[in-house]
Amino acid sequence: MLDVATPRVKPKDPIPDLVESLLVELGEDPDRQGLKDTPDRVSRAMRELTDGYGVKPSDVIAGAVFDQDYDEMVVVKDINFYSLCEHHMLPFFGQCHVGYLPKGKVVGLSKIPRLVEVFSHRLQIQEQLTREIAEALEAALAPRGVGVVVEARHLCMEMRGVETPGGRMITSCMLGTFRRDPRTRAEFLDLVKRN
Ligand SMILES: [Zn+2]
């Protein structure tokens, strides 16, 4: 008797079939040439845009936290991000500004944009995105305080005419001294506003 290895069939990605049904439901012909590869492409795009689910924020920062006696404010501003709103799965995008006041620990600067990316690559609402970034930094560094400001355009509102095109929504989350001390908060907001 031949010992034939059973071929390992990869479980089929269910998203393309769902997209095909959606196309039909919208009145399209999924067999026409322009749409032939669309279900596969949509699947790949959606998986990429939501790949933040598989990543633990603490793993992003781990290995890049350093002991340091620096006690001035650290600010990383104008971090571009793209996310999908959890209400319509349509894009909202803009800039994120992050500041913290270290207490013996700092994080490698490239890790902050990466953290923003991990949280924005999930279905989100802007208020929650803002808070999650602040709380992840607070948990990782135990700093004196953290401030996060997010400015974003929401296509679900603009494209549906709910909001004027180009209008931006601004959210902030202030923790620790950024919340308690108006001077610290003002210093951060001033640095964010400066060009
Ligand atoms: Zn929406």
Side-chain angles (χ1 to χ4, degrees), residues 76-180:
V76 184
K77 55 189 255 180
D78 299 327
I79 303 165
N80 289 312
F81 74 92
Y82 297 87
S83 190
L84 295 170
C85 80
E86 68 181 22
H87 298 139
H88 306 88
M89 294 173 75
L90 287 172
F92 71 98
F93 61 97
Q95 280 81 41
C96 179
H97 316 290
V98 178
Y100 69 98
L101 207 49
K103 194 168 69 184
K105 277 185 197 169
V106 295
V107 65
L109 282 191
S110 68
K111 298 298 177 182
I112 293 179
R114 176 73 186 119
L115 199 60
V116 172
E117 185 182 57
V118 164
F119 286 118
S120 56
H121 277 203
R122 299 175 181 185
L123 299 184
Q124 277 288 8
I125 57 172
Q126 186 176 328
E127 295 88 333
Q128 177 180 286
L129 173 67
T130 310
R131 186 165 36 78
E132 284 180 344
I133 295 165
E135 286 175 350
L137 266 184
E138 185 181 52
L141 300 178
R144 292 182 205 285
V146 182
V148 176
V149 172
V150 175
E151 310 175 50
R153 288 175 58 186
H154 289 251
L155 292 191
C156 68
M157 297 208 269
E158 292 187 29
M159 293 174 80
R160 297 184 312 130
V162 182
E163 199 187 69
T164 333
R168 286 178 310 167
M169 175 166 145
I170 301 178
T171 48
S172 69
C173 178
M174 304 286 164
L175 303 175
T177 47
F178 283 62
R179 173 174 285 273
R180 285 193 306 272

Side-chain angles (χ1 to χ4, degrees), residues 31 62 65 106:
D31 291 327
V65 175
V106 295

